[in-house]
Amino acid sequence: MLSYLNRPVELFVSGKKEPVRGILIDMGSDILVVHDGRRFHYVPALHLQEFTLAAITAGEESSLADITWESTPDLSYRKVLMNAKGIFSEIYITGQQSIHGYITSLMTDFFAFQSPVYHTVLVSMRHLKTLIPYGPNVTPYSMNPAAFPVSPNTMPLARTMDQQLKKLEGEFVVLNLGERQSHIGLLKSADTPIVELITSGGASVFMHMDHVKTVHKP
């Protein structure tokens, strides 16, 4: 795949209907970097379903011609997340929607993401599909930075996601951004590897922790 560097590519990523298209400008052991002419797309290799050269139009070619990039030594997924802390970004995790905000804390296998819409979202690293940082001086929804300051995370964080879920027992939570109604409710228990959630109707729903992509408190 290294022979495809600086060439137009098309990436099909788990869960995304539309492929990621642009110039492959860098590659690490577990992440790829594609520039689409406007922004950088960081794609964890774990979710790469298909990768191929792309045919591009004349218009796309002109927008991609001016990309400048210096290769990053020892590029890795974790280093990308560390460098993205405090930078307004778009992330795609689940369903058909992306969320916008800032990475504030990075733990062993998850990170905390501060969002104007969802507040603090805990995101499993294994379920992040794409990370797309915005350019400098871009703020969420063009708000004044004072309206949504990047503040330290106030939720006590554990080292791992399974430990974090255990800490949230007895709390009302939303899993996986609420993509199903059954993912919203009281977290009754989180005994590895199973989570038990009590839904609005009082029914118990059980889920394997490997399928918990995000968790946040509304």
Side-chain angles (χ1 to χ4, degrees), residues 12-200:
F12 287 90
V13 180
S14 301
K16 288 180 71 72
K17 285 188 174 181
E18 297 298 322
V20 176
R21 288 169 52 87
I23 300 294
L24 179 66
I25 57 173
D26 211 345
M27 184 185 302
S29 59
D30 57 359
I31 197 160
L32 295 88
V33 188
V34 172
H35 197 290
D36 67 1
R38 298 186 305 113
R39 294 196 287 164
F40 297 97
H41 297 246
Y42 294 85
V43 181
L46 172 67
H47 296 294
L48 182 62
Q49 292 192 339
E50 190 176 313
F51 171 99
T52 185
L53 279 177
I56 60 174
T57 65
E60 286 178 314
E61 188 172 9
S62 62
S63 68
L64 296 170
D66 298 328
I67 298 169
T68 57
W69 175 265
E70 291 185 13
S71 260
T72 307
D74 303 319
L75 180 70
S76 71
Y77 179 21
R78 178 166 285 274
K79 284 185 177 180
V80 165
L81 292 177
M82 290 176 63
N83 290 333
K85 285 177 66 175
I87 298 174
F88 180 45
S89 302
E90 176 183 353
I91 61 174
Y92 176 81
I93 306 154
T94 185
Q96 297 305 312
Q97 60 181 336
S98 55
I99 60 176
H100 301 78
Y102 301 89
I103 295 173
T104 55
S105 301
L106 182 61
M107 311 310 287
T108 301
D109 63 355
F110 73 96
F111 60 89
F113 191 79
Q114 187 180 353
S115 158
V117 179
Y118 298 98
H119 308 296
T120 298
V121 183
L122 306 180
V123 180
S124 169
M125 287 176 60
R126 68 179 294 174
H127 288 293
L128 176 69
K129 309 303 192 301
T130 57
L131 166 70
I132 312 171
Y134 281 90
N137 304 318
V138 178
T139 59
Y141 308 98
S142 297
M143 291 190 297
N144 186 304
F148 185 66
V150 184
S151 55
N153 180 63
T154 56
M155 183 188 296
L157 298 179
R159 284 191 314 107
T160 63
M161 182 62 98
D162 58 345
Q163 293 171 353
Q164 185 66 44
L165 289 167
K166 190 70 179 174
K167 287 173 72 73
L168 291 171
E169 284 183 340
E171 302 262 9
F172 184 75
V173 299
V174 178
L175 304 182
N176 302 342
L177 299 179
E179 62 180 351
R180 296 181 185 173
Q181 283 296 311
S182 57
H183 291 176
I184 303 170
L186 179 73
L187 182 57
K188 182 176 180 181
S189 66
D191 296 319
T192 306
I194 299 297
V195 170
E196 181 182 0
L197 204 66
I198 307 299
T199 65
S200 58

